Amino acid sequence: MPSPSAAVRRPVSTALTCLFAVLAALLLPLSAAHAAPVAQDCVAVAEGRYAGTFATAGQTHCLELPSPQGARIAALTSLGGAGVPVQVEVVDKNGTAQCTAGELDRGGCALTGTAPFRALVHADDTTETGPYGVHFVRTDLTQNGCQVLPAGSFADDAAAVRLETGDGVFSHCLTIPADAHSTSELLRIRYGVPDDTDLFPRYELSVVDTDGNGPPSCYDHPAPGQQLRTDGLTSCSFTAGKAYTVLLRGQDAPRSHTLDRRDVTATARGCTVSAATAIGAPATTGTSGKVGTLRCHRITTAAATDRLYINPRDAHDGTNVLVMDNNGGIACHQRTSACTPTGSTGYQVVTQVPEGYHLPAGYRLDAWRIATAAGPAPECTRVGSVAYGYGPLTGTLSEQHTGVCAVLPSVSGDRFRADITSTATDGSPGPEPALYDNAARNLCTGNSSNSSTYDCQGTDQGLFVLSLQNWADHSAYRANLVCTNAPCGSEDVSVGTVTPGTAQSGTVATLTVQGTALGMGTTVRLTGGPAPLTATTVSVSDDGRTLKASVDLRTAPAGNWNISVVALGSEYARGTLTVTAPPVSGLGTYKPITPTRLMDTRSGLGVPKAKVGQGGTATLQVTGTAGIPAAGVTAVVLNVTATDPTDASYVSVYPDGTTRTSASNLNVTAGQTIPNLVIVPVVNGKVSFYNNAGAVDLIADIAGYYTTDGTGSTYKPITPTRLMDTRSGLGVPKAKVGQGGTATLQVTGAAGLPAAGVTAVVLNVTATDPTDASYVSVYPNGTTRTSASNLNVTAGQTIPNLVIVPVVNGKVSFYNNAGAVDLIADIAGYYTTDGTGSTYKPITPTRLMDTREGLGVPKAKVGQGGTVTLQATGTAGIPAAGVTAVVLNVTATDPTTGSYVSVYPNGTTRTSASNLNFTAGQTIPNLVVVPVVNGKVSFYNNAGSVDLIADVAGYYTM
């Protein structure tokens, strides 16, 4: 708050000296204090410096002043050095006291009595004799003897006035003209520290207006930790059209003082202008210059209701900031830490490295908009629940990504422990946490220099910010905000429904709990069987209202099990789970057929001629057509192509007569043509095709079917292996497949396949770098190619698709319709007539994995070079043992960059084979038949990060 005296005060010793002087004056005999000296006892003096001498101890000198009634004056005396320290009292003609010593020091002595006025001067110590000095200044008028203090800018060559003391000079006066100042200015005094140490350096600075209405509002800005101010800043609010006098009171000793002033309102000159940024944006940079150099940054924002975060950073934490608003009002006092001003559309941020601080070469200035009138910054994550805390968060802050933020649904009374750990190997510190309330007070406390744990007090809708430490330029971290008085937030723990009510023995079932303030520590228990079962909590939704837990029922007997949910020490009974016996096997063997088109909505083949509209379904009769028997068919293999969609959508292919699940098979964007292989169970001889949005044409080509009559082939999965690559000449000549061209690949006798008895192979075929839009057909060598296709491409695209193709004379052919294209083929397995393989069991398409919500695996994108592993056996009706391979429709979505994904048996070495290729932002599915080792399947992502989804369609078993 502004000093009521408007004087700039120095060390404590100054104040004590003044106090003793006032007390000495008060202790004078009343007759001495008020008796008006006779005229012949007084010496007439002029305004300016007066030098006198006390010849004998105890003298009081009377100096008759030229100042008239109504004038205001200053009587400045030395703060030390040569000469006798004195006290001055001013009385009128009648001996009536006019003002205090403090008013004389500050230039506010108003002469209200009867002229002539007399200054009574005596030594502080009445025993001292010798020379002394008093400097009389009229402060109600602009004085010719006072030097003008020019206006400066924040350029390095700003105008300044240098003032010296010594040799009888201990004070100076300066003027600020009425028409040469703004309404708020920053005065700076640089003080030359003397070589002698016997006399402690002191000075005082006062500002007085000329109309007698009182001094301006001034505030002294001490640098944190400074005792001796060698480079002091004072901000003053001035009135337009008024002139001001600046008084410097120092010591009669060799000293130098340099004064300058600068506008700190919105019209300040020499400020670098930039707009406030989003949280975490790159910082504004500056060079420090010399110790004491002032720099100015003007930070603008859209509305006065915006709340900013302004923080200086450098390698030594030496840069101080002083922040003024558009009117020059103090928004943040001098500091080296962050401040959070509001109330203005612009701020002048003055930076300085004061004397005594380590001087860095340069600094960074974070200037974020952390809130608007509508609330915290929109780029901040809106957290659903903080019942048990928030996090853990991992990441890296750098000069390109300087901070992260989140809006917490906390309430007053919450308590959090912020555990901040550096994960860097170079010794760089972890970030600094802050939890801001609506008034932008940081409610986190802790010592960032020696602790990684902070205590944070909750507040309504707290803004949580992680920022770089002031001296750091990067930080790899792990941060976790733990609620220490759970549950935090406004919701209490409650438990609603637990679903499903039925699960199959021999599986690992996923249970879903609905409620409020659920957490990872919440557990689901099953009792009533031979031994209690405890489910493993897999994930909790961001809002704490949905919990998913997996329970191992592989050895659980059929029957009714009691469900209870335990949260924060309380147990909630929630009905029963009926565990059913394993189903009767419906295993089938595979019969490949010549690829044949069964359905085309464009021509009305197999279904009515019409696009499938939003929410619409087309149903195709598959049994009894194209050589497929009328009975005994458990599933069919279809290459399904979506073409000419009017909007982004997805397509699900599922058994007719059953309830469609959340599983999908194709994802499309408007105007796209994209295929995907589908192995779909057959119910009542039909298959249904559902479109979610817009309208789309659908095409289905059949490649084979599974039958229970035992006449088909069994499946032998193998480690995914690359058989063909036209780019390198692997398996075929090194050359693109040209327009109307065909490449033929020998498959039997390669990669562990037998030379005979192979009826079909499972290939992941990828088309890459096509020169034109085209389609590719994969068909049995030695047969007539049909109209069926397997891949559709546009120029420059890379796209894969799974193909199950019959094998004739041990070879497979690849036809390209237009342009030229490179083709890659990775083998995943084969069908054989020797009876040594596995049989296939189709199941209702079921979602097993979704990294977006933590289904089946942790909730997180798969990062560059990262792998997630999915438990495949014992889930969704897949038995716990005897499974050799699973059929998964795998979808990649929201990738951050172009990459590929490989799906391979967990516990084996990943090969060069891949299953999905995508570009940044693309959503693309592909069917995968992957061997199963130790019951698990792994998913590898090569670059960037991507969310992965896996829907199971069936499994192979011995």
Side-chain angles (χ1 to χ4, degrees):
M1 60 185 289
S3 167
S5 67
V8 182
R9 288 300 176 191
R10 300 303 148 207
V12 175
S13 58
T14 302
L16 292 175
T17 301
C18 293
L19 177 60
F20 291 149
V22 172
L23 290 174
L26 292 175
L27 291 174
L28 289 173
L30 290 177
S31 60
H34 297 288
V38 296
Q40 59 267 30
D41 293 334
C42 293
V43 176
V45 298
E47 291 170 355
R49 294 186 178 92
Y50 173 79
T53 301
F54 292 122
T56 60
Q59 279 187 304
T60 296
H61 285 187
C62 176
L63 307 178
E64 186 169 305
L65 304 176
S67 307
Q69 184 184 39
R72 278 187 297 117
I73 64 169
L76 306 178
T77 59
S78 175
L79 292 173
V84 177
V86 298
Q87 290 289 320
V88 180
E89 177 187 5
V90 175
V91 297
D92 70 356
K93 175 181 179 180
N94 302 316
T96 304
Q98 296 297 291
C99 45
T100 65
E103 289 171 327
L104 286 166
D105 291 342
R106 296 189 297 272
C109 177
L111 304 179
T112 58
T114 304
F117 298 94
R118 291 141 189 186
L120 308 181
V121 185
H122 62 84
D124 284 353
D125 183 348
T126 57
T127 65
E128 284 196 76
T129 61
Y132 68 89
V134 182
H135 186 183
F136 296 103
V137 181
R138 282 279 298 271
T139 59
D140 59 326
L141 298 173
T142 301
Q143 300 296 299
N144 293 330
C146 296
Q147 187 174 354
V148 172
L149 179 59
S153 75
F154 285 96
D156 287 342
D157 60 350
V161 172
R162 182 182 175 91
L163 305 174
E164 304 290 342
T165 58
D167 292 330
V169 176
F170 51 82
S171 60
H172 290 274
C173 66
L174 303 101
T175 63
I176 300 176
D179 59 352
H181 62 77
S182 71
T183 56
S184 182
E185 304 227 344
L186 186 65
L187 277 62
R188 176 191 183 197
I189 180 166
R190 284 166 285 171
Y191 180 71
V193 179
D195 293 332
D196 64 89
T197 56
D198 294 336
L199 181 64
F200 187 82
R202 295 170 56 193
Y203 68 85
E204 292 179 358
L205 196 69
S206 299
V207 183
V208 188
D209 65 15
T210 55
D211 65 359
N213 292 330
S217 174
C218 293
Y219 193 93
D220 187 13
H221 298 280
Q226 264 192 340
Q227 294 183 357
L228 175 61
R229 302 267 318 272
T230 59
D231 203 324
L233 301 177
T234 299
S235 58
C236 291
S237 297
F238 294 144
T239 300
K242 281 188 181 183
Y244 291 86
T245 300
V246 179
L247 302 174
L248 172 66
R249 181 181 178 220
Q251 297 170 316
D252 187 356
R255 305 283 189 263
S256 64
H257 309 73
T258 304
L259 273 73
D260 55 50
R261 63 184 175 92
R262 295 168 174 85
D263 179 7
V264 286
T265 69
T267 57
R269 294 183 293 128
C271 293
T272 301
V273 181
S274 60
T277 68
I279 297 177
T284 297
T285 59
T287 56
S288 299
K290 300 177 181 179
V291 168
T293 298
L294 297 180
R295 304 286 193 220
C296 178
H297 299 265
R298 175 163 167 77
I299 308 298
T300 61
T301 189
T305 51
D306 291 347
R307 174 79 68 176
L308 302 192
Y309 167 101
I310 296 174
N311 188 36
R313 294 184 291 108
D314 64 61
H316 306 298
D317 196 21
T319 302
N320 282 240
V321 293
L322 172 63
V323 183
M324 320 298 285
D325 62 23
N326 273 347
N327 297 322
I330 302 170
C332 297
H333 295 283
Q334 192 165 357
R335 61 177 70 190
T336 60
S337 57
C339 69
T340 52
T342 189
S344 181
T345 57
Y347 300 90
Q348 289 63 251
V349 181
V350 179
T351 67
Q352 183 193 52
V353 179
E355 185 75 33
Y357 284 72
H358 198 297
L359 179 69
Y363 59 89
R364 281 92 56 192
L365 188 69
D366 295 319
W368 303 335
R369 182 184 296 107
I370 63 173
T372 67
E379 66 267 20
C380 299
T381 301
R382 266 56 182 173
V383 178
S385 172
V386 289
Y388 303 92
Y390 174 55
L393 308 174
T394 58
T396 299
L397 299 183
S398 67
E399 290 303 339
Q400 297 304 310
H401 180 54
T402 54
V404 294
C405 58
V407 182
L408 308 183
S410 54
V411 297
S412 179
D414 290 345
R415 295 284 177 178
F416 298 97
R417 185 185 72 248
D419 297 322
I420 313 295
T421 304
S422 172
T423 59
T425 59
D426 59 0
S428 59
E432 185 171 10
L435 183 59
Y436 291 110
D437 64 9
N438 290 332
R441 293 174 297 182
N442 181 10
L443 303 182
C444 288
T445 58
N447 188 344
S448 60
S449 63
N450 58 22
S451 174
S452 60
T453 299
Y454 300 76
D455 293 321
C456 302
Q457 181 180 342
T459 180
D460 292 342
Q461 293 296 306
L463 176 62
F464 184 58
V465 177
L466 288 175
S467 59
L468 285 166
Q469 298 278 5
N470 281 0
W471 59 90
D473 60 6
H474 68 285
S475 175
Y477 65 90
R478 184 181 191 274
N480 198 25
L481 202 61
V482 180
C483 174
T484 58
N485 61 332
C488 289
S490 59
E491 293 184 328
D492 293 325
V493 174
S494 68
V495 178
T497 61
V498 180
T499 56
T502 303
Q504 184 178 299
S505 179
T507 67
V508 177
T510 297
L511 303 178
T512 301
V513 182
Q514 303 293 339
T516 57
L518 304 175
M520 291 298 292
T522 303
T523 58
V524 182
R525 295 177 181 172
L526 301 182
T527 58
L533 299 176
T534 299
T536 300
T537 301
V538 175
S539 66
V540 179
S541 62
D542 286 342
D543 59 5
R545 294 177 172 234
T546 302
L547 177 147
K548 291 186 180 295
S550 62
V551 59
D552 191 345
L553 301 177
R554 287 178 289 185
T555 60
N560 292 325
W561 294 71
N562 300 316
I563 302 173
S564 63
V565 179
V566 180
L568 292 180
S570 298
E571 188 166 4
Y572 305 82
R574 286 299 178 266
T576 59
L577 174 69
T578 300
V579 178
T580 60
V584 177
S585 174
L587 301 176
T589 54
Y590 184 65
K591 296 290 288 283
I593 59 177
T594 301
T596 305
R597 185 148 294 173
L598 289 188
M599 181 180 82
D600 192 334
T601 61
R602 300 172 301 180
S603 63
L605 176 64
V607 293
K609 179 181 178 180
K611 275 181 160 63
V612 182
Q614 179 171 328
T617 301
T619 299
L620 175 67
Q621 177 72 43
V622 292
T623 59
T625 62
I628 305 170
V633 175
T634 58
V636 289
V637 178
L638 298 172
N639 193 72
V640 180
T641 302
T643 188
D644 194 26
T646 61
D647 203 347
S649 181
Y650 67 83
V651 173
S652 295
V653 186
Y654 63 101
D656 180 61
T658 68
T659 301
R660 179 176 56 82
T661 67
S662 61
S664 64
N665 299 89
L666 291 98
N667 296 76
V668 295
T669 57
Q672 185 183 27
T673 296
I674 189 168
N676 197 20
L677 196 69
V678 177
I679 301 178
V680 58
V682 174
V683 174
N684 63 38
K686 299 176 183 177
V687 172
S688 292
F689 302 76
Y690 166 82
N691 172 44
N692 182 63
V696 65
D697 277 311
L698 296 176
I699 304 163
D701 301 324
I702 189 150
Y705 62 92
Y706 293 88
T707 177
T708 56
D709 65 7
T711 61
S713 304
T714 56
Y715 181 66
K716 296 290 286 284
I718 62 174
T719 301
T721 305
R722 185 147 293 174
L723 288 188
M724 181 181 83
D725 192 334
T726 62
R727 301 172 301 179
S728 62
L730 176 63
V732 294
K734 180 180 177 181
K736 276 181 160 62
V737 182
Q739 180 169 329
T742 301
T744 297
L745 174 67
Q746 177 73 42
V747 292
T748 58
L753 274 69
V758 175
T759 59
V761 288
V762 179
L763 299 173
N764 193 71
V765 180
T766 302
T768 187
D769 196 25
T771 61
D772 204 347
S774 181
Y775 67 83
V776 173
S777 294
V778 187
Y779 61 100
N781 178 253
T783 68
T784 302
R785 179 176 58 83
T786 67
S787 62
S789 65
N790 298 91
L791 292 97
N792 296 76
V793 295
T794 58
Q797 184 182 27
T798 296
I799 189 168
N801 197 19
L802 195 71
V803 176
I804 301 179
V805 58
V807 174
V808 175
N809 63 38
K811 300 176 182 177
V812 173
S813 291
F814 301 77
Y815 166 83
N816 173 42
N817 181 64
V821 65
D822 276 309
L823 296 177
I824 305 164
D826 301 321
I827 190 162
Y830 64 93
Y831 294 90
T832 177
T833 57
D834 66 8
T836 61
S838 304
T839 52
Y840 182 68
K841 172 66 176 178
I843 59 178
T844 301
T846 305
R847 185 146 292 173
L848 289 188
M849 181 180 83
D850 193 333
T851 62
R852 300 172 301 180
E853 62 180 52
L855 175 62
V857 294
K859 180 181 178 180
K861 275 181 159 65
V862 184
Q864 179 169 330
T867 301
V868 292
T869 298
L870 172 67
Q871 177 70 46
T873 59
T875 62
I878 305 171
V883 175
T884 59
V886 289
V887 177
L888 301 172
N889 193 72
V890 181
T891 302
T893 188
D894 194 26
T896 60
T897 190
S899 182
Y900 67 83
V901 168
S902 294
V903 187
Y904 62 100
N906 178 253
T908 68
T909 301
R910 179 177 57 84
T911 67
S912 61
S914 63
N915 299 90
L916 290 97
N917 299 74
F918 43 81
T919 57
Q922 186 180 22
T923 296
I924 188 168
N926 198 19
L927 195 69
V928 176
V929 181
V930 58
V932 173
V933 175
N934 63 36
K936 300 175 182 177
V937 174
S938 292
F939 301 75
Y940 166 83
N941 173 43
N942 182 63
S945 60
V946 64
D947 276 309
L948 296 177
I949 305 163
D951 301 322
V952 66
Y955 60 91
Y956 291 92
T957 183
M958 295 297 293

